[in-house]
Amino acid sequence: MTTRTILVVDDSAVMRKLIAATLADDAYRVLLAADGRQAMQHAREAAIELVLTDWNMPTMGGHQLIRELRQLENHAETPILVLTTETSDAEKADARTAGASGWLRKPIEPATLLEVVASLLGTE
């Protein structure tokens, strides 16, 4: 079985490390980005099968990142999961309109994250 590549985008270094450790323990290859601009660079250079992104980030937030990813031919259908502390229905609707595949509220239980990731990747 090939290793699946997941891009984790969050302006919090601690959050990136926690998510990366959870995913790496489950044998995923993890790429890290501190903001949307770094994420776009990865998206242009690497084969990414899932994006996990924070919503509120400096430089380029989750909303803009999702819209820009959806404009890239190789990421038009890539699952994108928003991981955030935001809870408003309006923000969730904005994420879906931008092209997000789902939404998980932080803090996230590792088991829940792995379950949702497997579901989005079709490996459950």
Side-chain angles (χ1 to χ4, degrees):
M1 182 163 104
T2 59
T3 302
R4 309 298 289 270
T5 301
I6 299 173
L7 173 59
V8 176
V9 190
D10 200 302
D11 56 320
S12 164
V14 170
M15 187 57 64
R16 285 192 309 271
K17 288 177 185 174
L18 287 171
I19 295 169
T22 299
L23 296 171
D25 283 350
D26 216 45
Y28 292 107
R29 177 177 175 241
V30 181
L31 302 176
L32 302 174
D35 61 35
R37 293 205 193 288
Q38 288 181 2
M40 288 302 295
Q41 185 173 351
H42 281 301
R44 289 184 186 100
E45 297 172 357
I48 297 166
E49 296 164 272
L50 173 66
V51 177
L52 306 178
T53 184
D54 190 13
W55 189 246
N56 296 311
M57 297 179 288
T59 312
M60 181 192 292
H63 186 269
Q64 185 178 354
L65 171 61
I66 294 167
R67 285 184 304 148
E68 290 197 21
L69 283 170
R70 291 296 182 226
Q71 291 176 9
L72 297 176
E73 185 177 331
N74 60 328
H75 292 294
E77 301 295 325
T78 301
I80 302 172
L81 182 65
V82 176
L83 308 177
T84 185
T85 58
E86 293 290 335
T87 60
S88 83
D89 289 338
E91 295 282 355
K92 290 178 188 177
D94 284 349
R96 289 237 186 253
T97 299
S101 308
W103 182 281
L104 283 179
R105 186 164 184 261
K106 294 176 187 174
I108 301 158
E109 291 292 325
T112 301
L113 178 62
L114 292 172
E115 180 180 306
V116 172
V117 164
S119 175
L120 288 170
L121 291 173
T123 60
E124 53 182 352

